[in-house]
Amino acid sequence: MRHALLAAALVTAALAGCSSVVDPDPPAPLPVLESELPVRTLWRTQVGSGTDGQRVTLRPVFDGGTIYAADRGGKLVAVDRGNGRRLGSAPLIWRSPVAWG
């Protein structure tokens, strides 16, 4: 028990020492950047009905002139990159590599 208290005191002292160190070279402020090119939306589309409050990290994939995107429910959509026209959709079939039982 005594060793545990001594270890806890040493760890507390070490952590307290870290918090009192002042950075001698703080980072410089970032410069303000001004846009050199105007940005405009050419088209917009939606895949699925949202994330249901879940953290979803799905990202679209580009292949030539086609963009592929999937939603949380397993729907895959192909969209023309130039005009946003939907080229098709299909359900994703995913099999977990984990065996339950």
Side-chain angles (χ1 to χ4, degrees):
M1 179 71 172
R2 187 173 180 190
H3 292 279
L5 288 175
L6 179 61
L10 288 174
V11 168
T12 303
L15 290 176
C18 291
S19 66
S20 64
V21 175
V22 177
D23 187 1
D25 296 318
L30 294 174
V32 176
L33 300 177
E34 295 188 26
S35 176
E36 295 181 16
L37 298 173
V39 177
R40 63 184 176 109
T41 302
L42 297 177
W43 54 266
R44 181 181 308 238
T45 191
Q46 185 173 341
V47 177
S49 59
T51 62
D52 296 329
Q54 303 294 315
R55 181 175 182 266
V56 179
T57 58
L58 298 172
R59 291 185 172 85
V61 176
F62 303 91
D63 181 28
T66 305
I67 300 172
Y68 299 93
D71 74 349
R72 181 171 122 34
K75 179 180 181 181
L76 176 67
V77 175
V79 178
D80 183 283
R81 183 178 183 172
N83 58 23
R85 186 173 57 91
R86 190 167 288 203
L87 302 174
S89 65
L92 287 174
I93 299 172
W94 181 75
R95 291 188 174 89
S96 173
V98 178
W100 301 97

